[in-house]
Amino acid sequence: MRRSALFLPTERQPPADAEALSHKLMVRAGLVRQLGSGLWSWLPAGWRVHQKVTQIIRKEIDGIGGQELLLPVMQPRELWRRTGRDTIDELFKLQDRKGAEMVLAMTHEEAVTFLVAAAVKSYRDLPKLLYHFQVKERDEPRPRAGVLRTREFIMKASYSFDRDAAGREEQYEAHRRAYARIYDRTGLEWFECESDVGMMGGTVAHEYMAPCPAGEDDVVLAGSYAANLEVASADPQPLALPDDRELIEVHTPGQTTVQQLAGGLGLPAGALLKAFPIVVDDGRLMLVMLRGDHRVNDIKLQNALGATFRPATTEEIAARIGPAGYIGPHGVDVEVLYDAAVGEGPYVIGANAPDRHLRGFRPPAGPRIDIRRVEEGDTVNGVPVRIVPAIEIGNIFKLNTRYSEPLGATYLDESGKEQLIFMGSYGIGPARICAAAVEQFADEQGISWPRAIAPWEVNLLSLGKGGTPERAAADGLYADLRGAGVEVLYDDRDTGNGEKFAEAELLGCPLRLTLGKRSAESGVVEAQVRRGRTDLDGGVPLQDAPARVKSVLETLP
RNA sequence: CGGGGCGUAGCUCAGCCUGGUGGAGCGCCGCGUUUGGGACGCGGAGGUCGCCGGUUCAAGUCCGGCCGCCCCGACCA
């Protein structure tokens, strides 16, 4: 591609409202432009990156037996009514000219299950794996960070159909293997995490996370352990407790926070028990107890309760337990739930009386439930955890009969008996892979693409103007490289050299070749690897440049 | 949905408080000089000041309403 002909509107300054690095750089480099909130156009160079990602995905899903098709974005709302998902806030709803209720699909379980329900009749038709790359529409409450969270985006979605759970399990595992190959091939740093199933339904779920500063989730990492902070568990930091033998009341005026109390008593925060009063959705008031240095993980608590909850109000606390800031489990008439990290004690707790705490409290033996948030300093199998922000770049769900049941997707088994089809669904967001790659590898100068998804492998800069010998040599090299099948962006413009260098670094192709007067005279082209901006020793001789460039590319990340 | 901020040239912004001939830098076009890190000179084009209404002799500026966009939180398969 000749730069002079390329539609690549670069900007010297980032958009005023951009915050995330990938947002700034992708706009500056001319890869994407915003049309409205959460609505983005992909320009030619950006679309090349997107296409490279989708092609990697396509090959790997084909490799596990996937068959590509295309399902509609606009769908009858009735279909969604049947699965109970037509009232989701994020779902765009609209009417056609006749007043018929429609929705814009945020995912395609309904459409594909409808299709399969009508077309699959016999156990002989199974298993099947269908997938597509299709636009998903989501009325996000808050789109953000460029293309990281948008209202319209392309997703690779595959859907597996099997006779039973065993078959579905096979396809689920096949996807885990394919996903590992896909993310490895993109060149990203990534993790497979256990995750919450959310409103997707089904049982088990894994999500695929790319660590990056603009990430919206937090991932807990320790050795081979990786889990979304929403569901992560770890061993708490051990701590030395005082050797209080009996329960004694202590006077603690004004010490209503863990910090104040720990400071006042000269104890570590973990020697205190924090009381978190909640009201479960059935109206029960409960006291959740956890170590003073720990915090409640709302999602884990909700999953443990099997119900939603809210923090109790000060009035509710005062009426049933004690004065806020001084409440504890001793002698109260409400259900008490102890976190798994609470040991034998002794601990300091609120005395349920103003300005009073109790030392030497030993919690009763009994059930413990892990409902705390993993903290820095925790360990998993002895390995300290790291908590890093990450962006979700894919997920897989075991749907089982969540959709086949409401939509009547069944088949006849060997004995002629009607059976429900077991499903799985598997998503990947190529745009997020693009943005995560920018986030992970960019430096002060700009983007540094992994080779597998770079818009072009090579960025050839001609420093000479038209008519000069060095321009003629660059033209020749461009032709040779193309002839050899190298993807090359050729900067053939008559602009300043500094501008060419700066733009090449902003755009981030893995290898830069520079051909100026020097090269024309010496017969050697200068070559610089974008990642780390390291010059290639000795450059690349013009004579067998294509072969040499190809072998250099092989070695690049 | 709660909180905060912003809307003036293609981009980044000043001008608004204190109403009176719409500006800068970059980019763009032309000419010339330059040419290994966003170079320089001269000339030029480009604006319904987000929209609607009000106040006023006069509104980019003051007032009201609306729309749009960003950030934090809530929310988010």
Side-chain angles (χ1 to χ4, degrees), chain A residues 12 138 142 149 155 199-200 505 526:
Chain A
R12 208 176 281 221
R138 298 183 185 182
R142 188 155 90 83
R149 185 166 211 88
M155 177 181 277
M199 63 195 297
M200 198 69 186
E505 275 153 8
E526 288 166 47

PDB file of all heavy atoms in Angstrom, chain A residues 12 138 142 149 155 199-200 505 526, chain B residues 12 36-38 69 72 75-77:
ATOM      1  N   ARG A  12      -2.030  14.875  15.364  1.00  0.00           N
ATOM      2  CA  ARG A  12      -0.881  15.122  16.200  1.00  0.00           C
ATOM      3  C   ARG A  12      -1.277  15.114  17.684  1.00  0.00           C
ATOM      4  O   ARG A  12      -0.506  14.776  18.550  1.00  0.00           O
ATOM      5  CB  ARG A  12      -0.274  16.473  15.831  1.00  0.00           C
ATOM      6  CG  ARG A  12       1.193  16.547  16.110  1.00  0.00           C
ATOM      7  CD  ARG A  12       1.720  17.872  15.628  1.00  0.00           C
ATOM      8  NE  ARG A  12       1.909  17.864  14.177  1.00  0.00           N
ATOM      9  CZ  ARG A  12       2.962  18.425  13.607  1.00  0.00           C
ATOM     10  NH1 ARG A  12       3.875  19.024  14.324  1.00  0.00           N
ATOM     11  NH2 ARG A  12       3.093  18.414  12.301  1.00  0.00           N
ATOM     12  N   ARG A 138     -25.795  -3.157  22.001  1.00  0.00           N
ATOM     13  CA  ARG A 138     -26.084  -3.106  23.435  1.00  0.00           C
ATOM     14  C   ARG A 138     -26.223  -1.664  23.898  1.00  0.00           C
ATOM     15  O   ARG A 138     -25.304  -0.865  23.722  1.00  0.00           O
ATOM     16  CB  ARG A 138     -24.969  -3.798  24.231  1.00  0.00           C
ATOM     17  CG  ARG A 138     -24.885  -5.247  23.865  1.00  0.00           C
ATOM     18  CD  ARG A 138     -23.882  -5.996  24.651  1.00  0.00           C
ATOM     19  NE  ARG A 138     -23.797  -7.351  24.129  1.00  0.00           N
ATOM     20  CZ  ARG A 138     -23.041  -8.307  24.610  1.00  0.00           C
ATOM     21  NH1 ARG A 138     -22.284  -8.064  25.667  1.00  0.00           N
ATOM     22  NH2 ARG A 138     -23.047  -9.496  24.079  1.00  0.00           N
ATOM     23  N   ARG A 142     -23.014   3.060  30.083  1.00  0.00           N
ATOM     24  CA  ARG A 142     -21.907   4.007  29.915  1.00  0.00           C
ATOM     25  C   ARG A 142     -20.804   3.444  29.031  1.00  0.00           C
ATOM     26  O   ARG A 142     -19.901   2.764  29.493  1.00  0.00           O
ATOM     27  CB  ARG A 142     -21.291   4.381  31.268  1.00  0.00           C
ATOM     28  CG  ARG A 142     -20.282   5.503  31.137  1.00  0.00           C
ATOM     29  CD  ARG A 142     -20.152   6.262  32.421  1.00  0.00           C
ATOM     30  NE  ARG A 142     -19.123   5.705  33.269  1.00  0.00           N
ATOM     31  CZ  ARG A 142     -17.842   5.995  33.140  1.00  0.00           C
ATOM     32  NH1 ARG A 142     -17.440   6.798  32.200  1.00  0.00           N
ATOM     33  NH2 ARG A 142     -16.967   5.476  33.958  1.00  0.00           N
ATOM     34  N   ARG A 149     -15.345  -0.325  25.285  1.00  0.00           N
ATOM     35  CA  ARG A 149     -16.735  -0.599  25.657  1.00  0.00           C
ATOM     36  C   ARG A 149     -17.652   0.236  24.783  1.00  0.00           C
ATOM     37  O   ARG A 149     -17.791   1.438  24.998  1.00  0.00           O
ATOM     38  CB  ARG A 149     -16.964  -0.304  27.135  1.00  0.00           C
ATOM     39  CG  ARG A 149     -18.349  -0.690  27.593  1.00  0.00           C
ATOM     40  CD  ARG A 149     -18.487  -0.729  29.095  1.00  0.00           C
ATOM     41  NE  ARG A 149     -19.461  -1.726  29.468  1.00  0.00           N
ATOM     42  CZ  ARG A 149     -19.214  -3.000  29.685  1.00  0.00           C
ATOM     43  NH1 ARG A 149     -17.991  -3.441  29.601  1.00  0.00           N
ATOM     44  NH2 ARG A 149     -20.158  -3.838  29.991  1.00  0.00           N
ATOM     45  N   MET A 155     -18.746  -9.361  17.222  1.00  0.00           N
ATOM     46  CA  MET A 155     -18.318 -10.452  18.084  1.00  0.00           C
ATOM     47  C   MET A 155     -18.271 -11.730  17.284  1.00  0.00           C
ATOM     48  O   MET A 155     -19.135 -11.966  16.434  1.00  0.00           O
ATOM     49  CB  MET A 155     -19.274 -10.602  19.275  1.00  0.00           C
ATOM     50  CG  MET A 155     -18.915 -11.766  20.175  1.00  0.00           C
ATOM     51  SD  MET A 155     -20.063 -11.951  21.557  1.00  0.00           S
ATOM     52  CE  MET A 155     -19.399 -10.776  22.689  1.00  0.00           C
ATOM     53  N   MET A 199     -25.866 -12.762  33.779  1.00  0.00           N
ATOM     54  CA  MET A 199     -27.236 -12.968  33.307  1.00  0.00           C
ATOM     55  C   MET A 199     -27.305 -13.823  32.063  1.00  0.00           C
ATOM     56  O   MET A 199     -28.346 -13.999  31.455  1.00  0.00           O
ATOM     57  CB  MET A 199     -27.923 -11.620  33.091  1.00  0.00           C
ATOM     58  CG  MET A 199     -27.325 -10.750  32.039  1.00  0.00           C
ATOM     59  SD  MET A 199     -27.939  -9.065  32.215  1.00  0.00           S
ATOM     60  CE  MET A 199     -29.681  -9.332  31.900  1.00  0.00           C
ATOM     61  N   MET A 200     -26.173 -14.385  31.667  1.00  0.00           N
ATOM     62  CA  MET A 200     -26.131 -15.248  30.499  1.00  0.00           C
ATOM     63  C   MET A 200     -26.819 -16.573  30.821  1.00  0.00           C
ATOM     64  O   MET A 200     -27.310 -17.253  29.953  1.00  0.00           O
ATOM     65  CB  MET A 200     -24.676 -15.493  30.115  1.00  0.00           C
ATOM     66  CG  MET A 200     -24.484 -16.002  28.738  1.00  0.00           C
ATOM     67  SD  MET A 200     -24.899 -14.731  27.561  1.00  0.00           S
ATOM     68  CE  MET A 200     -24.748 -15.712  26.081  1.00  0.00           C
ATOM     69  N   GLU A 505       6.220   5.388  13.834  1.00  0.00           N
ATOM     70  CA  GLU A 505       6.231   4.913  15.210  1.00  0.00           C
ATOM     71  C   GLU A 505       4.844   4.960  15.828  1.00  0.00           C
ATOM     72  O   GLU A 505       4.485   4.112  16.632  1.00  0.00           O
ATOM     73  CB  GLU A 505       7.236   5.729  16.037  1.00  0.00           C
ATOM     74  CG  GLU A 505       8.623   5.152  15.901  1.00  0.00           C
ATOM     75  CD  GLU A 505       9.738   6.163  16.100  1.00  0.00           C
ATOM     76  OE1 GLU A 505       9.442   7.299  16.496  1.00  0.00           O
ATOM     77  OE2 GLU A 505      10.899   5.790  15.868  1.00  0.00           O
ATOM     78  N   GLU A 526      18.401   0.721   6.106  1.00  0.00           N
ATOM     79  CA  GLU A 526      18.367   0.655   7.563  1.00  0.00           C
ATOM     80  C   GLU A 526      17.071   0.027   8.032  1.00  0.00           C
ATOM     81  O   GLU A 526      16.013   0.278   7.461  1.00  0.00           O
ATOM     82  CB  GLU A 526      18.510   2.057   8.145  1.00  0.00           C
ATOM     83  CG  GLU A 526      19.920   2.599   7.987  1.00  0.00           C
ATOM     84  CD  GLU A 526      19.982   4.088   8.253  1.00  0.00           C
ATOM     85  OE1 GLU A 526      19.403   4.511   9.269  1.00  0.00           O
ATOM     86  OE2 GLU A 526      20.582   4.799   7.438  1.00  0.00           O
TER      87      GLU A 526
ATOM     88  P     U B  12     -10.178  17.833  19.431  1.00  0.00           P
ATOM     89  OP1   U B  12     -10.460  16.710  20.344  1.00  0.00           O
ATOM     90  OP2   U B  12     -11.257  18.766  19.034  1.00  0.00           O
ATOM     91  O5'   U B  12      -8.983  18.693  20.031  1.00  0.00           O
ATOM     92  C5'   U B  12      -7.827  18.043  20.548  1.00  0.00           C
ATOM     93  C4'   U B  12      -6.858  19.073  21.065  1.00  0.00           C
ATOM     94  O4'   U B  12      -6.380  19.882  19.960  1.00  0.00           O
ATOM     95  C3'   U B  12      -7.453  20.094  22.022  1.00  0.00           C
ATOM     96  O3'   U B  12      -7.553  19.582  23.341  1.00  0.00           O
ATOM     97  C2'   U B  12      -6.467  21.244  21.906  1.00  0.00           C
ATOM     98  O2'   U B  12      -5.285  20.980  22.631  1.00  0.00           O
ATOM     99  C1'   U B  12      -6.139  21.197  20.406  1.00  0.00           C
ATOM    100  N1    U B  12      -6.989  22.128  19.633  1.00  0.00           N
ATOM    101  C2    U B  12      -6.578  23.453  19.543  1.00  0.00           C
ATOM    102  O2    U B  12      -5.561  23.863  20.069  1.00  0.00           O
ATOM    103  N3    U B  12      -7.400  24.271  18.813  1.00  0.00           N
ATOM    104  C4    U B  12      -8.578  23.905  18.180  1.00  0.00           C
ATOM    105  O4    U B  12      -9.209  24.753  17.568  1.00  0.00           O
ATOM    106  C5    U B  12      -8.945  22.532  18.328  1.00  0.00           C
ATOM    107  C6    U B  12      -8.151  21.706  19.033  1.00  0.00           C
ATOM    108  P     G B  36      18.575  15.659   6.330  1.00  0.00           P
ATOM    109  OP1   G B  36      18.909  16.356   7.600  1.00  0.00           O
ATOM    110  OP2   G B  36      19.630  15.317   5.361  1.00  0.00           O
ATOM    111  O5'   G B  36      17.716  14.348   6.645  1.00  0.00           O
ATOM    112  C5'   G B  36      16.550  14.468   7.455  1.00  0.00           C
ATOM    113  C4'   G B  36      16.672  13.518   8.621  1.00  0.00           C
ATOM    114  O4'   G B  36      16.735  12.176   8.102  1.00  0.00           O
ATOM    115  C3'   G B  36      17.936  13.723   9.441  1.00  0.00           C
ATOM    116  O3'   G B  36      17.676  13.456  10.809  1.00  0.00           O
ATOM    117  C2'   G B  36      18.892  12.684   8.897  1.00  0.00           C
ATOM    118  O2'   G B  36      19.819  12.251   9.830  1.00  0.00           O
ATOM    119  C1'   G B  36      17.937  11.553   8.516  1.00  0.00           C
ATOM    120  N9    G B  36      18.414  10.725   7.427  1.00  0.00           N
ATOM    121  C8    G B  36      18.839  11.105   6.190  1.00  0.00           C
ATOM    122  N7    G B  36      19.200  10.093   5.451  1.00  0.00           N
ATOM    123  C5    G B  36      18.995   8.989   6.273  1.00  0.00           C
ATOM    124  C6    G B  36      19.217   7.628   6.014  1.00  0.00           C
ATOM    125  O6    G B  36      19.642   7.095   4.996  1.00  0.00           O
ATOM    126  N1    G B  36      18.881   6.845   7.108  1.00  0.00           N
ATOM    127  C2    G B  36      18.398   7.333   8.286  1.00  0.00           C
ATOM    128  N2    G B  36      18.129   6.442   9.220  1.00  0.00           N
ATOM    129  N3    G B  36      18.185   8.599   8.543  1.00  0.00           N
ATOM    130  C4    G B  36      18.503   9.364   7.493  1.00  0.00           C
ATOM    131  P     G B  37      16.867  14.558  11.660  1.00  0.00           P
ATOM    132  OP1   G B  37      17.120  15.928  11.165  1.00  0.00           O
ATOM    133  OP2   G B  37      17.099  14.224  13.075  1.00  0.00           O
ATOM    134  O5'   G B  37      15.385  14.149  11.248  1.00  0.00           O
ATOM    135  C5'   G B  37      14.348  15.134  11.118  1.00  0.00           C
ATOM    136  C4'   G B  37      13.322  14.927  12.200  1.00  0.00           C
ATOM    137  O4'   G B  37      13.056  13.493  12.321  1.00  0.00           O
ATOM    138  C3'   G B  37      13.747  15.394  13.588  1.00  0.00           C
ATOM    139  O3'   G B  37      12.604  15.842  14.300  1.00  0.00           O
ATOM    140  C2'   G B  37      14.229  14.109  14.261  1.00  0.00           C
ATOM    141  O2'   G B  37      14.096  14.149  15.659  1.00  0.00           O
ATOM    142  C1'   G B  37      13.270  13.087  13.655  1.00  0.00           C
ATOM    143  N9    G B  37      13.768  11.732  13.642  1.00  0.00           N
ATOM    144  C8    G B  37      14.946  11.268  13.126  1.00  0.00           C
ATOM    145  N7    G B  37      15.088   9.976  13.251  1.00  0.00           N
ATOM    146  C5    G B  37      13.933   9.577  13.901  1.00  0.00           C
ATOM    147  C6    G B  37      13.517   8.285  14.313  1.00  0.00           C
ATOM    148  O6    G B  37      14.101   7.220  14.179  1.00  0.00           O
ATOM    149  N1    G B  37      12.293   8.313  14.940  1.00  0.00           N
ATOM    150  C2    G B  37      11.546   9.445  15.132  1.00  0.00           C
ATOM    151  N2    G B  37      10.385   9.277  15.751  1.00  0.00           N
ATOM    152  N3    G B  37      11.904  10.656  14.752  1.00  0.00           N
ATOM    153  C4    G B  37      13.114  10.643  14.150  1.00  0.00           C
ATOM    154  P     G B  38      12.099  17.389  13.880  1.00  0.00           P
ATOM    155  OP1   G B  38      13.091  18.201  13.161  1.00  0.00           O
ATOM    156  OP2   G B  38      11.504  17.897  15.136  1.00  0.00           O
ATOM    157  O5'   G B  38      10.968  17.056  12.859  1.00  0.00           O
ATOM    158  C5'   G B  38       9.839  16.307  13.264  1.00  0.00           C
ATOM    159  C4'   G B  38       8.668  16.718  12.427  1.00  0.00           C
ATOM    160  O4'   G B  38       7.603  15.773  12.641  1.00  0.00           O
ATOM    161  C3'   G B  38       8.103  18.099  12.791  1.00  0.00           C
ATOM    162  O3'   G B  38       7.530  18.604  11.597  1.00  0.00           O
ATOM    163  C2'   G B  38       6.988  17.722  13.791  1.00  0.00           C
ATOM    164  O2'   G B  38       5.953  18.684  13.807  1.00  0.00           O
ATOM    165  C1'   G B  38       6.476  16.419  13.203  1.00  0.00           C
ATOM    166  N9    G B  38       5.856  15.440  14.077  1.00  0.00           N
ATOM    167  C8    G B  38       6.122  15.086  15.365  1.00  0.00           C
ATOM    168  N7    G B  38       5.334  14.120  15.803  1.00  0.00           N
ATOM    169  C5    G B  38       4.499  13.852  14.727  1.00  0.00           C
ATOM    170  C6    G B  38       3.446  12.917  14.568  1.00  0.00           C
ATOM    171  O6    G B  38       3.030  12.099  15.378  1.00  0.00           O
ATOM    172  N1    G B  38       2.882  12.983  13.310  1.00  0.00           N
ATOM    173  C2    G B  38       3.268  13.848  12.320  1.00  0.00           C
ATOM    174  N2    G B  38       2.621  13.778  11.172  1.00  0.00           N
ATOM    175  N3    G B  38       4.255  14.725  12.429  1.00  0.00           N
ATOM    176  C4    G B  38       4.820  14.664  13.660  1.00  0.00           C
ATOM    177  P     C B  69     -24.071  11.277  22.242  1.00  0.00           P
ATOM    178  OP1   C B  69     -23.790  10.188  21.284  1.00  0.00           O
ATOM    179  OP2   C B  69     -24.967  11.049  23.382  1.00  0.00           O
ATOM    180  O5'   C B  69     -22.684  11.821  22.819  1.00  0.00           O
ATOM    181  C5'   C B  69     -21.585  12.016  21.952  1.00  0.00           C
ATOM    182  C4'   C B  69     -20.451  12.679  22.677  1.00  0.00           C
ATOM    183  O4'   C B  69     -20.869  13.989  23.148  1.00  0.00           O
ATOM    184  C3'   C B  69     -19.950  12.005  23.932  1.00  0.00           C
ATOM    185  O3'   C B  69     -19.140  10.882  23.670  1.00  0.00           O
ATOM    186  C2'   C B  69     -19.191  13.150  24.592  1.00  0.00           C
ATOM    187  O2'   C B  69     -17.965  13.383  23.924  1.00  0.00           O
ATOM    188  C1'   C B  69     -20.121  14.331  24.314  1.00  0.00           C
ATOM    189  N1    C B  69     -21.047  14.559  25.445  1.00  0.00           N
ATOM    190  C2    C B  69     -20.553  15.263  26.544  1.00  0.00           C
ATOM    191  O2    C B  69     -19.386  15.661  26.525  1.00  0.00           O
ATOM    192  N3    C B  69     -21.367  15.497  27.604  1.00  0.00           N
ATOM    193  C4    C B  69     -22.621  15.051  27.585  1.00  0.00           C
ATOM    194  N4    C B  69     -23.375  15.303  28.651  1.00  0.00           N
ATOM    195  C5    C B  69     -23.153  14.326  26.480  1.00  0.00           C
ATOM    196  C6    C B  69     -22.336  14.104  25.436  1.00  0.00           C
ATOM    197  P     C B  72     -13.630   6.935  34.160  1.00  0.00           P
ATOM    198  OP1   C B  72     -12.434   6.097  34.338  1.00  0.00           O
ATOM    199  OP2   C B  72     -14.750   6.451  33.336  1.00  0.00           O
ATOM    200  O5'   C B  72     -14.212   7.322  35.588  1.00  0.00           O
ATOM    201  C5'   C B  72     -13.371   7.818  36.609  1.00  0.00           C
ATOM    202  C4'   C B  72     -14.164   8.104  37.858  1.00  0.00           C
ATOM    203  O4'   C B  72     -15.056   9.231  37.619  1.00  0.00           O
ATOM    204  C3'   C B  72     -15.119   7.001  38.295  1.00  0.00           C
ATOM    205  O3'   C B  72     -14.466   5.955  38.987  1.00  0.00           O
ATOM    206  C2'   C B  72     -16.094   7.773  39.171  1.00  0.00           C
ATOM    207  O2'   C B  72     -15.522   8.069  40.427  1.00  0.00           O
ATOM    208  C1'   C B  72     -16.238   9.066  38.375  1.00  0.00           C
ATOM    209  N1    C B  72     -17.394   8.990  37.455  1.00  0.00           N
ATOM    210  C2    C B  72     -18.676   9.224  37.973  1.00  0.00           C
ATOM    211  O2    C B  72     -18.790   9.482  39.181  1.00  0.00           O
ATOM    212  N3    C B  72     -19.744   9.151  37.152  1.00  0.00           N
ATOM    213  C4    C B  72     -19.577   8.861  35.866  1.00  0.00           C
ATOM    214  N4    C B  72     -20.657   8.798  35.091  1.00  0.00           N
ATOM    215  C5    C B  72     -18.287   8.610  35.305  1.00  0.00           C
ATOM    216  C6    C B  72     -17.229   8.686  36.134  1.00  0.00           C
ATOM    217  P     C B  75     -23.816  -2.068  41.145  1.00  0.00           P
ATOM    218  OP1   C B  75     -24.602  -3.014  41.962  1.00  0.00           O
ATOM    219  OP2   C B  75     -22.349  -2.213  41.069  1.00  0.00           O
ATOM    220  O5'   C B  75     -24.383  -2.082  39.667  1.00  0.00           O
ATOM    221  C5'   C B  75     -25.785  -2.115  39.425  1.00  0.00           C
ATOM    222  C4'   C B  75     -26.064  -1.893  37.952  1.00  0.00           C
ATOM    223  O4'   C B  75     -25.408  -0.669  37.525  1.00  0.00           O
ATOM    224  C3'   C B  75     -25.495  -2.955  37.020  1.00  0.00           C
ATOM    225  O3'   C B  75     -26.323  -4.096  36.912  1.00  0.00           O
ATOM    226  C2'   C B  75     -25.406  -2.194  35.701  1.00  0.00           C
ATOM    227  O2'   C B  75     -26.669  -2.066  35.094  1.00  0.00           O
ATOM    228  C1'   C B  75     -24.960  -0.818  36.192  1.00  0.00           C
ATOM    229  N1    C B  75     -23.488  -0.674  36.162  1.00  0.00           N
ATOM    230  C2    C B  75     -22.890  -0.334  34.953  1.00  0.00           C
ATOM    231  O2    C B  75     -23.613  -0.152  33.958  1.00  0.00           O
ATOM    232  N3    C B  75     -21.540  -0.205  34.895  1.00  0.00           N
ATOM    233  C4    C B  75     -20.795  -0.405  35.979  1.00  0.00           C
ATOM    234  N4    C B  75     -19.491  -0.267  35.871  1.00  0.00           N
ATOM    235  C5    C B  75     -21.387  -0.770  37.237  1.00  0.00           C
ATOM    236  C6    C B  75     -22.722  -0.891  37.273  1.00  0.00           C
ATOM    237  P     C B  76     -25.654  -5.548  36.741  1.00  0.00           P
ATOM    238  OP1   C B  76     -26.762  -6.512  36.642  1.00  0.00           O
ATOM    239  OP2   C B  76     -24.591  -5.746  37.746  1.00  0.00           O
ATOM    240  O5'   C B  76     -24.952  -5.423  35.316  1.00  0.00           O
ATOM    241  C5'   C B  76     -25.732  -5.357  34.140  1.00  0.00           C
ATOM    242  C4'   C B  76     -24.845  -5.106  32.947  1.00  0.00           C
ATOM    243  O4'   C B  76     -24.056  -3.915  33.195  1.00  0.00           O
ATOM    244  C3'   C B  76     -23.804  -6.186  32.665  1.00  0.00           C
ATOM    245  O3'   C B  76     -24.345  -7.248  31.895  1.00  0.00           O
ATOM    246  C2'   C B  76     -22.744  -5.412  31.892  1.00  0.00           C
ATOM    247  O2'   C B  76     -23.122  -5.239  30.542  1.00  0.00           O
ATOM    248  C1'   C B  76     -22.793  -4.044  32.582  1.00  0.00           C
ATOM    249  N1    C B  76     -21.739  -3.934  33.616  1.00  0.00           N
ATOM    250  C2    C B  76     -20.463  -3.535  33.217  1.00  0.00           C
ATOM    251  O2    C B  76     -20.260  -3.303  32.027  1.00  0.00           O
ATOM    252  N3    C B  76     -19.492  -3.432  34.154  1.00  0.00           N
ATOM    253  C4    C B  76     -19.756  -3.702  35.430  1.00  0.00           C
ATOM    254  N4    C B  76     -18.762  -3.588  36.308  1.00  0.00           N
ATOM    255  C5    C B  76     -21.047  -4.113  35.861  1.00  0.00           C
ATOM    256  C6    C B  76     -22.002  -4.212  34.925  1.00  0.00           C
ATOM    257  P     A B  77     -24.517  -8.725  32.588  1.00  0.00           P
ATOM    258  OP1   A B  77     -25.891  -8.725  33.101  1.00  0.00           O
ATOM    259  OP2   A B  77     -23.410  -8.991  33.490  1.00  0.00           O
ATOM    260  O5'   A B  77     -24.425  -9.763  31.385  1.00  0.00           O
ATOM    261  C5'   A B  77     -25.563 -10.529  31.091  1.00  0.00           C
ATOM    262  C4'   A B  77     -25.192 -11.733  30.295  1.00  0.00           C
ATOM    263  O4'   A B  77     -25.070 -11.347  28.910  1.00  0.00           O
ATOM    264  C3'   A B  77     -23.861 -12.357  30.664  1.00  0.00           C
ATOM    265  O3'   A B  77     -23.893 -13.756  30.411  1.00  0.00           O
ATOM    266  C2'   A B  77     -22.913 -11.696  29.671  1.00  0.00           C
ATOM    267  O2'   A B  77     -21.752 -12.440  29.464  1.00  0.00           O
ATOM    268  C1'   A B  77     -23.786 -11.627  28.440  1.00  0.00           C
ATOM    269  N9    A B  77     -23.417 -10.601  27.494  1.00  0.00           N
ATOM    270  C8    A B  77     -23.935  -9.354  27.349  1.00  0.00           C
ATOM    271  N7    A B  77     -23.404  -8.675  26.369  1.00  0.00           N
ATOM    272  C5    A B  77     -22.466  -9.526  25.840  1.00  0.00           C
ATOM    273  C6    A B  77     -21.557  -9.386  24.781  1.00  0.00           C
ATOM    274  N6    A B  77     -21.468  -8.305  24.039  1.00  0.00           N
ATOM    275  N1    A B  77     -20.766 -10.449  24.508  1.00  0.00           N
ATOM    276  C2    A B  77     -20.885 -11.543  25.261  1.00  0.00           C
ATOM    277  N3    A B  77     -21.694 -11.776  26.272  1.00  0.00           N
ATOM    278  C4    A B  77     -22.475 -10.725  26.517  1.00  0.00           C
TER     279        A B  77
END
